[in-house]
């Protein structure tokens, strides 16, 4: 038994309602005498934004206050938005390091008049559209796979014969260097924020066709053993593009794949997912 143990977790309260398993778990912990302290974290205040900017630029708080007030008014203190807005100022040349005075300087008038998009997703999209086409493609594929992507799955997709997919993993590493994703250990790519995944996904012109292409590629390039380990991913991708499947044989093949995925989900006691796979399989036979 451990008498000294601290667990720190975080969640978005707008995504965790009264019937959510997390709320039930917290209630059970409190009933057993566990001390649970809830700290509600909102957007940053003006002084928080100023502290962040002066620390980043290596200047005194009084020097960065005019800049931080404008940044706060345009971002409302959203931490991700603040970071991306400052990056956009740097890329536009409105925030720059001056060798002559050996400090960071900024064009306050241009910053004040700079148009700000309605949300983080739009700001991200603007930056993504300036990426090279192969990097954009890698980003969109990752967005189709979800908030996290295993490198083993991405390597299967790198076998695609599409010329735009040369050095697929290298393209993803460039996505990481741009700050859109980060690596968890050595084998998992994760989006830095769900708003970034949403922005990348919104760039895809034909989402159903992209999901179908990914699913077919994974199915074609996987060995039997590999398919067994990623069957949920393959089935999910093909299901999201299934409305574009017209070949009866391919529909039957997908129905069988969903049956296997459903059976595996039942073995793992993930009954809601099992029901979804089985329903999709029946749909392919109707």
């Amino acid at each position: 038994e451990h008498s000294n143990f601290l667990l720190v977790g975080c969640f978005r309260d707008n995504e965790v309602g009264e019937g959510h398993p997390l709320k039930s778990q917290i209630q059970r912990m409190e009933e057993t005498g566990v001390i649970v302290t809830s700290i509600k974290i909102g957007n940053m205040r003006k002084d928080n934004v100023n502290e962040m900017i002066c620390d980043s630029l290596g200047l005194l708080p009084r020097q960065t206050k005019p800049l931080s007030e404008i940044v706060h008014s345009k971002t409302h203190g959203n931490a991700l938005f603040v970071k991306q807005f400052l990056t956009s100022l740097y890329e536009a040349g409105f925030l720059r390091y001056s060798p002559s005075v050996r400090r960071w300087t900024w064009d306050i008038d241009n910053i004040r008049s700079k148009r700000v998009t309605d949300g983080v997703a739009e700001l991200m999209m603007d930056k993504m559209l300036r990426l090279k086409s192969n990097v954009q493609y890698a980003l969109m594929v990752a967005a189709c796979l979800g908030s996290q992507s295993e490198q083993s799955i991405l390597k299967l997709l790198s076998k695609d014969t599409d010329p735009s997919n040369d050095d697929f993993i290298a393209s993803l590493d460039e996505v990481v260097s741009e700050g859109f994703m980060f690596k968890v250990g050595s084998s998992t790519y994760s989006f830095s924020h769900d708003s970034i995944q949403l922005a990348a996904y919104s760039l895809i012109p034909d989402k159903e066709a992209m999901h179908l292409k990914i699913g077919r590629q994974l199915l074609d390039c996987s060995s039997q053993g590999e398919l067994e380990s990623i069957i949920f991913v393959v089935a999910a991708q093909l299901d999201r593009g299934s409305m574009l499947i017209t070949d009866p044989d391919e529909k039957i093949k997908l129905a069988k794949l969903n049956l296997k995925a459903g059976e595996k989900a039942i073995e793992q006691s993930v009954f809601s997912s099992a029901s979804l796979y089985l329903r999709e399989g029946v749909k392919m036979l109707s």
Side-chain angles (χ1 to χ4, degrees):
E1 245 181 62
H2 296 282
S3 58
N4 301 302
F5 180 75
L6 173 66
L7 172 66
V8 180
C10 64
F11 63 92
R12 295 193 179 102
D13 52 8
N14 64 318
E15 296 178 1
V16 180
E18 288 303 320
H20 195 279
L22 178 60
K23 281 288 180 94
S24 302
Q25 180 62 40
I26 292 174
Q27 185 177 349
R28 286 195 295 270
M29 290 167 63
E30 290 175 325
E31 289 171 353
T32 58
V34 175
I35 299 173
V36 178
T37 303
S38 298
I39 303 174
K40 187 175 179 62
I41 300 176
N43 288 341
M44 294 190 294
R45 302 187 306 271
K46 286 184 179 179
D47 56 326
N48 300 139
V49 173
N50 194 35
E51 288 173 9
M52 175 181 174
I53 293 177
C54 73
D55 184 61
S56 299
L57 303 184
L59 297 171
L60 296 174
R62 60 179 173 80
Q63 293 175 297
T64 57
K65 188 176 181 181
L67 172 62
S68 65
E69 287 180 344
I70 296 174
V71 172
H72 184 273
S73 69
K74 290 181 177 291
T75 63
H76 305 291
N78 180 294
L80 177 64
F81 208 174
V82 169
K83 178 182 176 183
Q84 295 302 326
F85 183 65
L86 288 171
T87 300
S88 72
L89 295 181
Y90 172 76
E91 291 173 346
F94 299 157
L95 176 64
R96 56 193 175 276
Y97 184 79
S98 172
S100 59
V101 295
R102 291 187 293 181
R103 51 159 283 190
W104 286 90
T105 61
W106 48 87
D107 188 331
I108 201 75
D109 292 328
N110 273 325
I111 294 173
R112 187 178 286 112
S113 62
K114 182 175 173 60
R115 186 184 71 85
V116 180
T117 56
D118 293 332
V120 177
E122 290 184 39
L123 186 64
M124 294 291 95
M125 284 177 62
D126 182 61
K127 184 176 180 180
M128 290 172 185
L129 289 170
R130 296 197 296 271
L131 297 172
K132 292 180 292 186
S133 60
N134 61 310
V135 179
Q136 280 188 37
Y137 182 83
L139 188 62
M140 291 187 288
V141 169
C144 285
L145 293 171
S147 60
Q148 289 190 335
S149 308
E150 293 298 322
Q151 186 165 301
S152 58
I153 294 175
L154 296 168
K155 281 185 175 179
L156 290 173
L157 293 171
S158 69
K159 297 176 182 178
D160 199 319
T161 55
D162 188 333
S164 65
N165 289 347
D166 288 344
D167 301 321
F168 188 79
I169 299 298
S171 296
L172 276 174
D173 288 336
E174 190 167 336
V175 169
V176 171
S177 69
E178 289 288 341
F180 295 120
M181 303 183 79
F182 62 93
K183 291 194 75 172
V184 181
S186 59
S187 61
T188 304
Y189 289 84
S190 179
F191 277 95
S192 302
H193 194 278
D194 57 359
S195 293
I196 296 177
Q197 182 197 354
L198 176 65
Y201 191 70
S202 65
L203 292 177
I204 303 170
D206 190 338
K207 296 174 176 57
E208 290 80 9
M210 177 69 94
H211 283 294
L212 183 59
K213 179 181 179 181
I214 292 171
R216 284 171 170 168
Q217 176 68 21
L218 289 174
L219 190 61
D220 292 342
C221 294
S222 302
S223 66
Q224 192 60 41
E226 288 171 332
L227 180 59
E228 181 66 26
S229 65
I230 63 170
I231 191 168
F232 295 145
V233 176
V234 179
Q237 292 299 313
L238 290 172
D239 287 342
R240 296 184 72 174
S242 62
M243 65 287 296
L244 301 178
I245 298 176
T246 57
D247 180 28
D249 290 338
E250 188 175 7
K251 288 185 177 183
I252 292 173
K253 190 175 181 180
L254 179 54
K256 290 179 178 179
L257 186 71
N258 272 299
L259 175 60
K260 288 183 179 180
E263 290 173 341
K264 184 172 182 178
I266 291 172
E267 290 173 3
Q268 298 178 359
S269 300
V270 189
F271 300 114
S272 58
S273 295
S275 175
L276 180 63
Y277 291 125
L278 294 174
R279 284 202 305 269
E280 288 294 330
V282 171
K283 191 192 300 182
M284 287 295 97
L285 299 175
S286 60

